[in-house]
């Protein structure tokens, strides 16, 4: 049976796997303070909302803004979010080789975002959640000769489904 690696808080072991870890990414020539900023901004269609989220001083605030439904929330988000996340993670782990080394060192382990706050990206605290954040790298790790757990993201479009920015 595979060991499980639980992560959540950025200052704890494997905290670098959290989207809240302070690792900037560049996508489409734009620098994002964290993968959380990119993910949350991708929910919106209006440039003003996207820029507001990108400028958030912390990933926590970016997440709060991303959850505000008074903004220009895109109506295809549920079908787009997995691809947006894959793109963000691919950027993060290819642009930070120290993180990629940590990721590859976990080969064979199940990666689990451990929180009760989230039953889609995390496992809901008790395994009842989908753990979609951990699932893609775990699946990729079982592929033949993986050189990069996020290699499947390489073919992703630059901004899947985005309309206005
Ligand atoms: N640190 C943290 N706090 C929460 O409350 C969370 N839900 C998470 N999980 C991360 O949040 C992002 C998903 O946000 P949405 O619920 O889709 O707005 C994603 O990065 C999860 O990994 N983390």
């Amino acid at each position: 049976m595979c060991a499980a690696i639980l992560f959540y808080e950025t200052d704890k072991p494997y905290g670098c796997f959290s989207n809240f870890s302070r690792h900037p990414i560049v996508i489409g020539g734009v620098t994002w303070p964290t993968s959380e900023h990119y993910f949350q901004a991708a929910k919106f269609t209006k440039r003003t909302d996207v820029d507001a989220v990108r400028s958030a001083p912390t990933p926590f605030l970016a997440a709060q803004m991303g959850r505000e439904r008074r903004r220009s929330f895109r109506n295809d988000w549920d079908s787009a979010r997995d691809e947006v996340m894959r793109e963000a993670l691919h950027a993060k782990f290819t642009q930070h080789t120290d993180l990629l080394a940590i990721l590859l060192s976990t080969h064979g382990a199940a990666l689990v975002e451990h929180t009760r706050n989230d039953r889609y990206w995390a496992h809901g605290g008790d395994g009842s959640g989908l753990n979609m954040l951990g699932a893609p790298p775990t699946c990729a790790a079982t592929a033949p000769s993986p050189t990069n757990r996020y290699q499947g993201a390489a073919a992703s479009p630059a901004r899947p489904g985005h309309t206005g920015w």
Side-chain angles (χ1 to χ4, degrees):
M1 201 171 99
C2 289
I5 292 174
L6 276 51
F7 64 92
Y8 188 57
E9 290 95 348
T10 56
D11 59 349
K12 298 277 170 60
Y14 297 101
C16 62
F17 293 158
S18 166
N19 286 315
F20 288 55
S21 78
R22 302 298 184 110
H23 292 90
I25 57 173
V26 179
I27 295 180
V30 176
T31 300
W32 302 83
T34 66
S35 49
E36 187 70 13
H37 282 77
Y38 179 76
F39 173 81
Q40 295 293 344
K43 292 178 178 179
F44 301 120
T45 57
K46 282 191 184 163
R47 175 167 288 280
T48 47
D49 289 331
V50 171
D51 289 345
V53 176
R54 186 161 65 91
S55 302
T58 67
F60 179 80
L61 287 171
Q64 276 193 334
M65 294 167 79
R67 292 164 189 157
E68 289 172 2
R69 290 299 167 265
R70 64 183 174 81
R71 296 182 185 272
S72 58
F73 190 69
R74 59 192 279 188
N75 58 16
D76 65 342
W77 179 241
D78 282 354
S79 61
R81 62 183 169 173
D82 290 359
E83 191 57 31
V84 171
M85 184 66 84
R86 187 161 30 249
E87 184 180 23
L89 295 178
H90 178 262
K92 178 175 171 181
F93 287 92
T94 55
Q95 293 171 20
H96 296 276
T97 53
D98 53 336
L99 300 189
L100 181 58
I102 295 170
L103 180 62
L104 293 175
S105 77
T106 66
H107 182 66
L111 305 183
V112 178
E113 187 180 34
H114 179 58
T115 175
R116 283 179 297 179
N117 296 341
D118 194 327
R119 295 186 65 249
Y120 186 76
W121 297 111
H123 77 156
D126 58 2
S128 62
L130 294 175
N131 189 39
M132 292 298 284
L133 188 66
T138 305
C139 295
T142 64
S145 306
T147 54
N148 176 347
R149 281 179 153 184
Y150 294 110
Q151 61 190 354
S156 303
R159 290 199 173 118
H162 276 282
T163 51
W165 40 290

